[in-house]
Amino acid sequence: MIFKVYFQELKTEAPVREKTKTIFVKADSVREVRAKLAEHPYNIEFITPVDGAFLEYEQKNENYKVLEIG
């Protein structure tokens, strides 16, 4: 499953909409996404599964790239 993760680049940053970034992560659950990103200094705001029409829409974006972390 693909998850869309909204985050700030540093854990010390307060969430500000204009600075929010997104990445896509392949994982089986939200818990697994958090575990995969634990080594990164991200302040994770929100994680949501992406599938169906929403996934098709995201895949059309030229910046769409799935981060596959072992």
Side-chain angles (χ1 to χ4, degrees):
M1 178 173 265
I2 305 296
F3 291 88
K4 186 171 186 178
V5 180
Y6 297 83
F7 68 97
Q8 303 292 314
E9 288 191 311
L10 299 173
K11 287 184 180 183
T12 58
E13 287 184 27
V16 176
R17 183 181 307 189
E18 292 79 14
K19 292 183 179 181
T20 298
K21 297 190 179 194
T22 59
I23 55 173
F24 294 91
V25 178
K26 186 174 184 177
D28 293 327
S29 66
V30 171
R31 178 177 281 203
E32 185 179 341
V33 172
R34 290 189 179 277
K36 287 183 173 189
L37 296 175
E39 295 178 11
H40 297 274
Y42 300 153
N43 181 1
I44 297 173
E45 296 177 39
F46 187 68
I47 300 172
T48 186
V50 182
D51 59 2
F54 186 48
L55 179 58
E56 290 175 25
Y57 172 80
E58 292 290 352
Q59 289 172 333
K60 291 178 184 176
N61 185 335
E62 64 186 41
N63 295 325
Y64 175 81
K65 181 180 176 185
V66 177
L67 180 64
E68 293 191 40
I69 303 171

